[in-house]
């Protein structure tokens, strides 16, 4: 991948797509600096070379054009602090004034453009809008992995207005892509994918893709119950997608035919209500009484999954094993996280991706004990499903 390391930015203006879609509190203060901090290495490299920066991002999902709540002006001071430079702000990303501001930037200076999504053209991938944005810089840098699965004006379409020598990836993008590539294409065996979360329908494509890559696929979380019911089990009121029973059976058959171990839970922690105050018991996962629902995997499943995880050399984890947000149903997810940490200590490469498994790893303060925590849930899943992303292709296309 061609990164910012391959370009010397002295006296060049870099127009950089980053992911500054950060959470704000009611006073419009940034409450989590992760994404801003993640971008600083790329931005500092350009500034240290003697270049200047025009920063582009979206924030939230504004529906009706400019909205104070979604203005990127709220993050100017946080970005200034992270970079150690007073960041200038342009109140309209393609307004006349914005172009005046960007054209006057001197080496070491930084301009942040207002929320790109104040224009509907951004998400539509409008070519004219992309062309206007391209006029903000000599070099186009994409470091927004979180939106790399979208063919939006700033994430993909505008790359066509720069020749190959003047477009590249930032470090966030490069690291994300390298870590997925390591898992999917250069994985040391055995490769175990742990897939959990609520719905089978969200994860069918990824499971199918993993069938040609992984040695073991562990299924946990709410989605396991669709598989259990498909095999004739009684699952009570547990989460189930009845229109996916056939799909679940097909996935089981496919795994058998390919010699892949598709590991399903054998027991479950069940509850008489979806609540941390509910009564609970542990039962065989295919014998859940009517009116009870499975909210976590049970101790036998935890032990069996732990064995597989600890014997793996490559691990991909997406989706919790249970309703880990409630303490009574967090054991499966928590232990999976600790087992992944143990495997990592033994030399495995572990990639954690997807919102809720990342939240789980953070909840147990284990993020620095696994190999890589992805910042882009949707982008990561789509990369695995499709083998490529619009934001990556746009820059790599000759
Ligand atoms: P996803 O976004 O599909 O990865 O799903 C994550 C959500 O699935 C989390 O909020 C979990 O609480 C939820 N979840 C995991 N296991 C279960 C379960 N057995 N029943 C209901 N929800 C679950």
């Amino acid at each position: 991948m061609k990164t910012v390391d391959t370009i010397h930015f002295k006296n060049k203006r870099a127009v950089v797509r980053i992911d500054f879609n950060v959470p704000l509190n009611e006073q419009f203060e940034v409450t989590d600096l992760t994404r801003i901090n993640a971008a600083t290495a790329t931005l500092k490299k350009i500034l240290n070379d003697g270049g200047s920066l025009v920063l582009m991002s979206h924030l939230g999902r504004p529906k009706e054009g400019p909205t104070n709540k979604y203005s990127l002006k709220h993050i100017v001071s946080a970005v200034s602090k992270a970079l150690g430079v007073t960041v200038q702000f342009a109140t309209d990303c393609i307004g006349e004034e914005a172009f005046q501001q960007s054209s006057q930037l001197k080496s070491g200076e930084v301009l942040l453009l207002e929320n790109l999504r104040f224009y509907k053209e951004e998400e539509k991938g409008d070519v004219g809008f992309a062309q206007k944005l391209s006029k903000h810089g000599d070099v186009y840098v994409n470091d927004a992995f979180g939106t790399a699965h979208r063919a939006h004006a700033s994430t993909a379409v505008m790359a066509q207005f720069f020749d190959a020598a003047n477009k590249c990836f930032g470090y966030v993008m490069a690291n994300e892509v390298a870590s997925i590539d390591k898992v999917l294409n250069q994985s040391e065996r055995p490769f175990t994918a742990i897939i959990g979360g609520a719905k089978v329908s969200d994860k069918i494509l990824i499971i199918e893709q993993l069938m040609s890559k992984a040695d073991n696929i562990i299924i946990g979380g709410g989605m396991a119950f669709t598989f259990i019911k498909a095999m004739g089990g009684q699952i009570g009121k547990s989460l189930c997608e009845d229109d996916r029973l056939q799909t679940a059976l097909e996935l089981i058959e496919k795994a058998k035919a390919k010699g892949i171990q598709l590991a399903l839970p054998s027991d479950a922690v069940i509850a008489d209500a979806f609540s941390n105050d509910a009564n609970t018991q542990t039962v065989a996962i295919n014998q859940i009484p009517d009116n009870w629902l499975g909210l976590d995997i049970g101790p036998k499943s935890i032990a069996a999954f732990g064995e597989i995880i600890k014997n793996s050399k490559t691990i991909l984890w997406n989706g919790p094993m249970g309703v880990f947000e409630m303490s009574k149903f967090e054991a499966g997810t928590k232990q999976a996280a600790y087992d992944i940490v143990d495997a990592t200590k033994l030399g495995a490469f572990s990639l954690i991706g997807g919102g809720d498994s990342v939240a789980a790893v953070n909840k147990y303060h284990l993020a620095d004990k696994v190999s890589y925590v992805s910042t882009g849930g949707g982008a990561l899943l789509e990369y695995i499903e499709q083998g490529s992303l619009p934001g990556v292709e746009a820059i790599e296309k000759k």
Side-chain angles (χ1 to χ4, degrees), residues 42-296:
T42 297
L43 304 180
K44 281 186 176 169
K45 145 72 175 138
I46 296 169
L47 293 176
N48 289 341
D49 273 1
S52 56
L53 290 169
V54 179
L55 308 180
M56 310 178 283
S57 179
H58 74 284
L59 176 65
R61 298 186 166 189
K63 290 199 178 73
E64 295 302 328
T67 322
N68 182 47
K69 185 176 159 194
Y70 297 117
S71 173
L72 280 168
K73 71 180 179 201
H74 302 306
I75 74 159
V76 168
S77 65
V79 179
S80 299
K81 208 162 157 195
L83 293 178
V85 174
T86 303
V87 171
Q88 303 168 39
F89 185 68
T91 54
D92 174 348
C93 64
I94 53 164
E96 216 174 286
E97 204 184 321
F99 288 107
Q100 223 168 51
Q101 286 171 284
S102 68
S103 65
Q104 285 168 6
L105 283 179
K106 294 188 197 68
S107 167
E109 292 187 337
V110 183
L111 174 69
L112 172 65
L113 302 181
E114 180 57 288
N115 194 341
L116 300 169
R117 290 194 187 169
F118 285 173
Y119 283 89
K120 291 211 173 0
E121 288 85 345
E122 162 64 359
E123 289 183 82
K124 284 187 185 148
D126 184 85
V127 178
F129 180 70
Q131 188 168 21
K132 282 185 192 156
L133 289 175
S134 73
K135 304 231 183 292
H136 279 301
D138 313 307
V139 181
Y140 170 64
V141 180
N142 189 351
D143 209 16
F145 182 73
T147 47
H149 56 315
R150 311 278 185 218
H152 294 171
S154 69
T155 61
V157 182
M158 71 184 276
Q160 66 188 277
F161 299 107
F162 297 83
D163 59 34
N166 288 312
K167 53 187 166 188
C168 66
F169 299 100
Y171 299 127
V172 173
M173 283 283 274
N175 289 339
E176 291 275 357
V177 170
S179 71
I180 305 172
D181 197 50
K182 192 161 175 172
V183 166
L184 294 184
N185 301 321
Q186 306 156 37
S187 48
E188 255 194 81
R189 313 237 144 223
F191 169 17
T192 298
I194 308 159
I195 309 293
K199 287 183 167 176
V200 181
S201 50
D202 289 346
K203 311 273 164 95
I204 290 170
L205 280 175
I206 185 173
I207 296 174
E208 279 187 343
Q209 282 302 325
L210 290 168
M211 291 268 180
S212 57
K213 307 270 186 191
D215 302 296
N216 309 299
I217 301 178
I218 292 175
I219 308 271
M223 57 185 279
F225 297 99
T226 301
F227 286 85
I228 302 298
K229 184 168 177 184
M231 291 190 299
Q234 288 168 18
I235 59 162
K237 280 197 306 185
S238 307
L239 212 59
C240 181
E241 288 172 276
D242 284 319
D243 58 340
R244 300 293 170 166
L245 295 172
Q246 188 55 32
T247 310
L249 284 180
E250 282 164 16
L251 289 172
I252 292 169
E253 284 308 313
K254 210 168 179 178
K256 257 190 217 151
K258 286 186 168 258
I260 293 161
Q261 174 172 212
L262 187 79
L264 289 162
S266 58
D267 57 351
V269 177
I270 62 170
D272 58 1
F274 189 84
S275 158
N276 209 29
D277 302 323
N279 296 306
T280 63
Q281 51 177 316
T282 301
V283 298
I285 199 162
N286 56 3
Q287 290 169 35
I288 300 177
D290 294 346
N291 296 324
W292 287 69
L293 68 167
L295 295 181
D296 195 9

